[in-house]
Amino acid sequence: MQLAAVIDAGGVSEGAALLGLSQPAVSRSLAMLEARVGEPLFQKGKRPLQPTALGLQLAGQGRIIIAASRQASDAVQGFLRGTKGQVQVGGVPFFMDAMISRMVAEFQNIEPDVAVHQSYGNLPELSQALESEKIDLGIVPMGLLDVAPGFEFTEILPGRNIVACRMAHPLLRKPRLQTSDLTDFPWVAPLPGSPLLSDLHSILLTIGMSDLTIRYSGGSLMSVINYMAETNALAVLPHSVVFATRKEARITVLPLEIPQPNRSLGILRRAGVQRSQAADRFAAFVTKAFVELKHLIKRHENAVVWGR
């Protein structure tokens, strides 16, 4: 490294200054290197210093070491600042597909050196993944009283569910909707283990029925939207998910009040453990994004004429 610096800088004093070392220390190092290899590194009597063929070859290796050292230093500093590294994030499927995946892209536009690995799961699976350190944070809907010991939960969006339907659904033309109208059409079942499943049961209790006609189940968010856009099927979905797909104009909110869950969407993490700065940086980005987003979602909610 010192040989490369001296050759590139044009002299021992200049090379020493480049490395932050003293001139005598560098001179001793070069003399020791010549003694070790048994060959001169500079042509004798030439001023300014002229490297020999061996000196040039060893300087080339020195430059590689200098570059690797700087890259290592940058990696350490980036890790400590959270601008380099990897984030493992898991979450419930519909929220991850509709909202979080877009935020990952926006985050990486700012922090391109942070890799993000996304996985899916509901609260039990995500809690287990956090405990086993397979993920850094989970995006889950849950009640504040449901947070288990050893975890911390940061709310990012109040919970609100709606009944979703296609844009030209017959119920949208009905002057006044009743909950009993929901039994006249087929339904899309929530994913197994999803909190939306218990929310659908709450709707059934409100209607006074024990079951609905389920015509489609087990699909991803995109497949559910594709299915609903071509049928008169209904589905209970988070309002924020329907809001996130509004520009596609394929599904919309059925303006009918339904029982609301006592939970919020938030970031679940282990408490009292050391976390990577990249994960904390991503969590802060998501939290800030939802601060701005929930005002737009609320405005969209207020534009719906509920129970018309």
Side-chain angles (χ1 to χ4, degrees), residues 4 7 69 80 95 132 169 173 182 186 199 220 223 241 252 258-259 270-271 276 285 288 304-306:
I7 292 175
S69 176
L80 295 176
F95 279 118
S132 58
H169 198 282
R173 298 191 296 269
L182 302 180
D199 298 337
S220 65
S223 62
V241 169
T252 188
I258 59 173
R270 291 187 64 193
S276 75
F285 179 87
K288 182 180 178 182
V304 177
V305 183
W306 297 97

Side-chain angles (χ1 to χ4, degrees), residues 237-266:
L237 292 175
H239 178 229
S240 55
V241 169
V242 178
F243 169 83
T245 65
R246 68 196 184 283
K247 292 182 180 179
E248 300 169 15
R250 304 188 70 199
I251 63 172
T252 188
V253 176
L254 187 68
L256 179 69
E257 289 283 4
I258 59 173
Q260 292 302 317
N262 185 23
R263 60 175 176 269
S264 302
L265 182 69

